Amino acid sequence: WSVKDYAGSRTSWEALRQGVDGDVEANLALANLYERASRSENERSEVLLEASNQRIREVLDSERTTLAQRAEALALEGRNLKTLWRARLKGASDPHAARRAALDARALKSYESYRQAFELDLNAFYPGLAALQMGCILQLLAQLPGWRNLFRGSKVQADRAREDLEAELPALAHVVAASIKRARQQLPEDERLWPDIADADLLFLTVPDEE
């Protein structure tokens, strides 16, 4: 991993996974490695992401998975869903097609996976911040006429989901801010790069536009 030999890493971890059936650490490593490979191998990106998803499902289905490992797997699941959603959006040919592509259930599922991951480990600010980002995007999507399509045309479910976002996101923002602050307080000054970046990201999501 350190020398970025991802192909060699996959070979090693796959050998371990096959030798130790259901090994959680191997499955988590492979979920990361297949996702990383999907970024550079565009022609096989969906195949590699599906391989990553299979490893994630094994982690989530295993009785040996710890809460921290489950949180990591859910965060990876949220990232993969967001990657697939963004790829569909990127392929849109015009604004109308982009709106249709944006209204994809994977955006909603990504938010839910990230939020569940953060709830399992409130010290890990990244999935909380990612959930807040996806939640803010969903609030914008909820203003589009096709929002109801995410809920099989059910106005009741669509309205309830919109109301849930309005209630959840302010509270989520406060907890994420506390998690980032805690990370910055606990880390030495020369290791605060990611909490500092996360703190800036949080401002983009929470400071009103007029300010």
Side-chain angles (χ1 to χ4, degrees):
W1 183 274
S2 297
V3 298
K4 302 188 187 306
D5 181 7
Y6 301 128
S9 296
R10 292 205 306 269
T11 300
S12 298
W13 280 111
E14 281 289 3
L16 178 59
R17 187 180 71 85
Q18 292 168 16
V20 184
D21 185 46
D23 187 83
V24 175
E25 185 181 359
N27 278 315
L28 277 176
L30 285 164
N32 264 306
L33 287 163
Y34 282 121
E35 188 277 336
R36 182 63 63 94
S38 73
R39 302 184 200 179
S40 56
E41 300 180 31
N42 293 329
E43 293 181 359
R44 300 180 59 233
S45 61
E46 289 197 15
V47 174
L48 290 165
L49 276 176
E50 179 53 31
S52 175
N53 289 333
Q54 289 175 5
R55 303 285 71 78
I56 290 168
R57 283 192 288 270
E58 285 200 31
V59 172
L60 295 176
D61 290 342
S62 174
E63 295 180 354
R64 289 176 284 180
T65 302
T66 65
L67 284 179
Q69 290 170 330
R70 184 170 296 277
E72 183 180 353
L74 284 166
L76 292 173
E77 182 179 67
R79 182 175 65 182
N80 287 0
L81 287 163
K82 180 171 66 175
T83 298
L84 290 167
W85 173 74
R86 290 178 60 188
R88 187 168 183 263
L89 188 60
K90 186 178 179 181
S93 56
D94 57 67
H96 181 66
R99 284 192 292 272
R100 273 194 328 227
L103 287 164
D104 187 302
R106 281 173 284 203
L108 188 61
K109 291 177 181 177
S110 175
Y111 166 71
E112 291 169 351
S113 293
Y114 275 134
R115 186 168 54 82
Q116 290 172 26
F118 186 52
E119 288 173 355
L120 286 175
D121 187 0
L122 296 176
N123 290 321
F125 60 81
Y126 164 73
L129 181 63
L132 189 60
Q133 289 169 336
M134 292 305 298
C136 289
I137 290 170
L138 287 168
Q139 278 192 312
L140 294 174
L141 296 179
Q143 300 172 25
L144 297 177
W147 170 251
R148 193 187 300 182
N149 295 338
L150 291 180
F151 307 91
R152 298 182 180 179
S154 170
K155 184 179 186 303
V156 173
Q157 291 184 19
D159 289 346
R160 184 181 299 127
R162 186 187 296 110
E163 291 166 2
D164 287 346
L165 286 168
E166 290 175 359
E168 292 168 0
L169 295 185
L172 179 60
H174 284 297
V175 181
V176 170
S179 182
I180 294 171
K181 181 179 179 180
R182 186 172 188 273
R184 294 178 74 187
Q185 289 174 337
Q186 290 189 332
L187 290 170
E189 190 172 349
D190 60 349
E191 296 180 17
R192 295 178 189 165
L193 175 63
W194 290 114
D196 287 345
I197 291 173
D199 199 34
D201 285 338
L202 185 63
L203 290 177
F204 280 111
L205 298 170
T206 57
V207 175
D209 291 342
E210 58 269 19
E211 295 184 14

